[in-house]
Amino acid sequence: MTHRGGPVLIVEGGYPDWRAQALRALASGWPPEAVQWSDRRDAEALGGQQLGLEYTSPGASAVLADSSKQDERGVDRPLPDVRISKELAALLQDAALYRSPQRWAFLYRVLWRWYQGDRAVASAADEDGARLYGMAKSVRRAKHDMIAYVRFHRRDNGAVPEYLAWYEPEHDVLAWAADHFARRMGMTTWWIGTPQGSALWDGKTLQYANAAADTASDAASLRADAGADQVEAMWLAYYRSIFNPARLNEAALQQHMPVRFWKGLPEGRLIPSMVAEARNGARRVGQANAVGSMPGKQVAVDAQRAQPVREIPSSLDACRRCELWRHATQAVPGRGPDAARLMLVGEQPGDQEDLMGRAFVGPAGKVLEDALRRAGVGADTVYLTNAVKHFKWIARGKRRLHKTPAQQEVEACAHWLDEERTRLRPTVIVTLGGTALGAVLHRKASLRDYMQEPVRLADAWLIATWHPSYALRVDDDARREEIVAAIAAAIARGRELAG
Ligand code: URA
């Protein structure tokens, strides 16, 4: 459809639809000022006209398209293969949820500039870049707020859906949050209403309805019920279960949820006692009683060392493939450049890594740094990760002591290591210790058998060496020196093979 002043593109299906249409517009050579963008909602105000461009969205997030489609006259028009960085793809996807009539036009301007080779557009120092970052940040905050402040009420008449919630998000984050709740409350049925539309989980699938469609359904009564002032134990149990005394920061708690709101929130009455318990526990590490049942004594750590939990939990944080998450502060992801050719795999995060959320920052990390220095390899050029992403420990007096993960925990976590290997495609993998070796080989193996020579795997070279913590355990200085030297030699060999 064209409108006075140029074509009007109407976005009906959110980001994937915008992306498809933006590619068509790029293929047509339409500069941003020649195109008008509109949401379906706003388009109705333009007289219901629409441009019917069918499109199946491509899969790869960082490649916007690589296929060819017909235009509205049935003429083949090759779509451009627009490669964007993963970071820009994430920014565009978040900014697409920013509620503003200009969002699609603005995103197209960003994409157009990128397509013209103007990479500055992805920088926060650029005017458009800064706006893009600002929009994405605001959306991420709205996502976080929604999962933090949605309150489900149980309907007392046995009706389905069993739980209802009403929430007014600042941006279009309903689908994102509904997906979050579906993964956590999958055994129940629930409905979340917002002024823009609703999400219904029937125990198997998520269905969305926009506000106009809702009016025609029984949404009005759901909305009324959702506002009912009835608090359900499920929410309270959930709140208790996510409360971790080790992470308690009272100032931040009160800043995010001022005391004057507590009486209006179901969990308000739980907070004072949970805070008191946490204080009383002298910053105990571990989870609230409701979450874990770890045997042994409670362990004191310096709460100041604990980093705030990531604001938007990653899917790794949500991992429940084994039980280790129950006693860990957080999952610790790998770190390092995606382009790294050398990947170093350790066993599992230690006490400090667990608190900081960062791999190899404790004593073993210092030994590893030393070995990297000796090998002449910059620590920031390699990718450091672990076979297991949650800290497994036992209490000994006031300390949390490392406990070797069981084979089934290593196997459960192989999913994440495989994901990292697929994403990075390292040329060389250096395994540190037996657990890492077994994780990379997907079977138990003798470290000594593999330490002699690099081994060719299907996708990379494997070099096996000692774990740096072995150097910390030996008493003998000469032996310690040998171990660190062996790790350094393995890394140096890895660098040679990586080219
Ligand atoms: N040991 C490991 O294997 N990994 C870490 O991140 C820290 C100690």
Side-chain angles (χ1 to χ4, degrees), residues 348-398:
Q348 63 164 351
D351 177 80
Q352 296 197 25
E353 287 79 13
D354 168 76
L355 295 172
M356 305 290 284
R358 206 170 145 76
F360 286 105
V361 289
K366 299 282 171 295
V367 176
L368 185 59
E369 262 173 36
D370 182 21
L372 282 161
R373 203 174 313 111
R374 294 185 191 197
V377 173
D380 53 356
T381 64
V382 296
Y383 188 85
L384 299 176
T385 190
N386 284 299
V388 171
K389 307 295 195 252
H390 281 112
F391 179 35
K392 181 171 180 181
W393 54 276
I394 48 165
R396 277 283 177 283
K398 297 189 169 200

Side-chain angles (χ1 to χ4, degrees), residues 267-325:
E267 66 274 30
R269 61 192 157 91
L270 292 181
I271 295 174
S273 60
M274 291 188 357
V275 168
E277 266 173 32
R279 279 197 205 129
N280 184 30
R283 309 292 185 192
R284 285 173 183 161
V285 170
Q287 313 294 310
N289 291 343
V291 175
S293 53
M294 187 84 170
K297 292 179 188 166
Q298 298 285 356
V299 179
V301 295
D302 176 1
Q304 303 312 317
R305 288 190 298 141
Q307 296 296 296
V309 183
R310 283 181 282 281
E311 187 172 275
I312 308 282
S314 65
S315 48
L316 177 61
D317 287 308
C319 181
R320 302 291 182 261
R321 287 170 184 266
C322 74
E323 293 297 300
L324 292 185
W325 66 274

Side-chain angles (χ1 to χ4, degrees), residues 28-308:
S28 305
W30 292 334
E33 54 283 4
V35 190
Q36 292 190 46
W37 290 88
S38 180
D39 248 358
R40 177 112 182 110
R41 286 195 286 261
D42 308 329
E44 263 129 37
L46 284 172
Q49 306 146 310
Q50 69 176 92
L51 185 73
L53 297 182
E54 303 280 312
Y55 188 77
T56 311
S57 65
S61 64
V63 179
L64 286 188
D66 57 6
S67 58
S68 129
K69 290 277 161 194
Q70 293 189 329
D71 72 8
E72 61 273 34
R73 294 181 308 279
V75 176
D76 269 342
R77 179 180 290 161
L79 290 181
D81 184 0
V82 184
R83 282 174 191 277
I84 59 176
S85 65
K86 280 188 183 150
E87 192 186 18
L88 180 58
L91 285 168
L92 290 174
Q93 285 185 44
D94 275 329
L97 303 180
Y98 190 93
R99 204 173 288 144
S100 150
Q102 284 98 39
R103 64 179 141 180
W104 304 123
F106 171 70
L107 294 189
Y108 183 60
R109 186 163 79 229
V110 170
L111 188 63
W112 172 268
R113 285 185 54 193
W114 178 276
Y115 187 53
Q116 304 303 315
D118 182 357
R119 297 295 185 255
V121 72
S123 150
D126 178 271
E127 203 179 321
D128 284 337
R131 186 171 159 199
L132 184 66
Y133 276 90
M135 287 164 75
K137 187 170 173 200
S138 179
V139 166
R140 287 168 193 165
R141 162 65 57 190
K143 284 178 171 177
H144 170 255
D145 285 352
M146 184 154 180
I147 58 170
Y149 295 123
V150 160
R151 299 290 179 269
F152 286 95
H153 303 281
R154 188 188 178 96
R155 298 161 92 193
D156 51 10
N157 50 9
V160 173
E162 302 154 84
Y163 294 93
L164 304 178
W166 177 257
Y167 186 80
E168 302 189 4
E170 199 182 334
H171 297 297
D172 292 343
V173 295
L174 170 65
W176 183 89
D179 185 61
H180 170 93
F181 288 117
R183 279 185 278 117
R184 282 164 183 73
M185 297 169 51
M187 305 299 284
T188 59
T189 57
W190 46 259
W191 177 90
I192 304 175
T194 75
Q196 293 74 34
S198 65
L200 173 69
W201 173 253
D202 63 9
K204 291 200 182 74
T205 52
L206 265 174
Q207 295 158 40
Y208 298 99
N210 66 29
D214 269 2
T215 322
S217 73
D218 64 347
S221 66
L222 290 177
R223 266 201 288 272
D225 278 5
D229 193 21
Q230 187 194 350
V231 174
E232 178 47 49
M234 183 190 79
W235 161 249
L236 296 177
Y238 172 70
Y239 189 76
R240 271 202 204 90
S241 78
I242 60 170
F243 182 83
N244 182 345
R247 295 177 194 155
L248 176 66
N249 176 336
E250 286 184 54
L253 172 70
Q254 293 188 17
Q255 191 192 346
H256 288 292
M257 199 189 280
V259 176
R260 67 180 182 283
F261 294 141
W262 290 7
K263 68 175 165 21
L265 292 168
E267 66 274 30
R269 61 192 157 91
L270 292 181
I271 295 174
S273 60
M274 291 188 357
V275 168
E277 266 173 32
R279 279 197 205 129
N280 184 30
R283 309 292 185 192
R284 285 173 183 161
V285 170
Q287 313 294 310
N289 291 343
V291 175
S293 53
M294 187 84 170
K297 292 179 188 166
Q298 298 285 356
V299 179
V301 295
D302 176 1
Q304 303 312 317
R305 288 190 298 141
Q307 296 296 296

